[in-house]
Amino acid sequence: MTQGLVNGAEREGAPAADSAFARWLAARAAELLLDLRAELGHGDPDALRAAGDARSHELIATELARHRPADAVLSEEGKDSPARLDADRVWIVDPLDGTREFGEEGRADWAVHIGLWQRAAPGPGRLTAGAVALPAQHRVLATSAAPSYPPLSGQAAAGGPLRLAVSRSRPAAFLADVAERLGAELVPMGSAGAKIAAVVDGEVDAYVHAGGQYEWDSAAPVAVALATGLHASRLNGSGLEYNRPNPLLPDLVVCRKDLAPRLLAALERCTS
């Protein structure tokens, strides 16, 4: 088994605190996916992708049922139940975000998302815990140990253009106009979790998406981004809402707070 994502103490049992539990569960799924990639190889990418989605979902669902049996679950790979709409606690998970990239040898921009929504939470989106595992990068970002507020990307800090992470497969056409207005460079990447992690790390300055997403694509990485002190909203600046009857959440922007006014203004001009 791949080592390093789950430490020795954690292997003895799941942590009690929600944030630490989210990190533990994301790391468990990450190790499974790395092992699966090594076991099956990339000779049949579609079979590898299908196995990754299914096996990661099975592990996550099993552990949530064991350790959080009273909580509801919204998973990309699971059957949605209207019962979650009346639940006080809902785990919003994507067992394999960036399935396309997972099936491509050498790519590291895929992730595991574990997020927790709580009805009574006062914060943005009512997200109270989250973890994003980046298995091929051998790390996990989590609200239990959120990184410090990120710097500008090295390029922007040196006086160069801002760097905006965008969808690798379906970037919105208007983003070229946004980049021109800001004097920015578009940086295509895979998983939404990987793109938001790049903002958290200061590798890019913002992530903008308008091609259609669901709650499981953003809940966990947004939880981490907010814990880091970043701005996260819809493209029009309105707040992100989770555990809605329709889990479609089609657009998203995550960036440094000092960049948000400029970026949102450029988005308004280019989308109106």
Side-chain angles (χ1 to χ4, degrees):
M1 173 178 285
T2 305
Q3 300 293 325
L5 288 167
V6 179
N7 63 42
E10 290 174 333
R11 290 182 189 281
E12 298 301 318
D18 287 326
S19 292
F21 175 76
R23 185 200 180 284
W24 173 84
L25 186 53
R28 287 282 310 281
E31 289 189 341
L32 178 150
L33 289 167
L34 287 175
D35 290 343
L36 185 63
R37 229 184 182 196
E39 173 191 342
L40 298 184
H42 292 80
D44 187 342
D46 289 339
L48 175 61
R49 292 175 179 123
D53 280 332
R55 294 195 197 179
S56 183
H57 169 73
E58 181 180 5
L59 182 149
I60 291 169
T62 297
E63 297 298 348
L64 284 172
R66 176 181 299 152
H67 299 290
R68 299 293 191 274
D71 296 351
V73 179
L74 173 62
S75 170
E76 179 179 18
E77 302 303 325
K79 183 178 180 180
D80 192 9
S81 169
R84 67 176 171 81
L85 300 176
D86 296 320
D88 291 328
R89 291 165 51 92
V90 181
W91 292 92
I92 304 175
V93 305
D94 191 340
L96 175 52
D97 187 61
T99 305
R100 173 180 175 178
E101 287 73 23
F102 175 70
E104 296 181 25
E105 188 169 8
R107 294 206 70 94
D109 48 347
W110 49 280
V112 176
H113 297 176
I114 308 291
L116 176 62
W117 174 94
Q118 293 194 68
R119 185 176 306 279
R126 299 182 181 179
L127 299 170
T128 59
V132 177
L134 300 158
Q137 300 176 35
H138 302 285
R139 64 198 185 105
V140 182
L141 302 178
T143 53
S144 57
S148 59
Y149 191 67
L152 284 169
S153 64
Q155 178 172 290
L162 294 166
R163 290 167 55 83
L164 307 183
V166 298
S167 172
R168 176 186 173 217
S169 58
R170 51 184 186 279
F174 69 81
L175 287 174
D177 293 335
V178 173
E180 184 176 358
R181 286 181 178 275
L182 294 174
E185 172 189 0
L186 300 181
V187 183
M189 294 184 186
S191 158
K195 290 190 278 283
I196 294 177
V199 182
V200 170
D201 291 339
E203 179 185 344
V204 298
D205 300 293
Y207 166 43
V208 180
H209 182 85
Q213 284 185 343
Y214 291 86
E215 293 184 12
W216 47 75
D217 291 306
S218 66
V222 163
V224 174
L226 292 173
T228 305
L230 291 167
H231 167 90
S233 71
R234 301 287 300 273
L235 294 191
N236 63 6
S238 63
L240 298 163
E241 296 185 34
Y242 294 90
N243 196 36
R244 306 294 294 173
N246 181 352
L248 180 68
L249 190 56
D251 56 80
L252 170 70
V253 56
V254 177
C255 64
R256 291 169 52 92
K257 286 184 176 178
D258 53 359
L259 175 59
R262 289 175 56 202
L263 180 53
L264 291 172
L267 288 167
E268 181 179 11
R269 287 193 293 269
C270 293
T271 56
S272 60

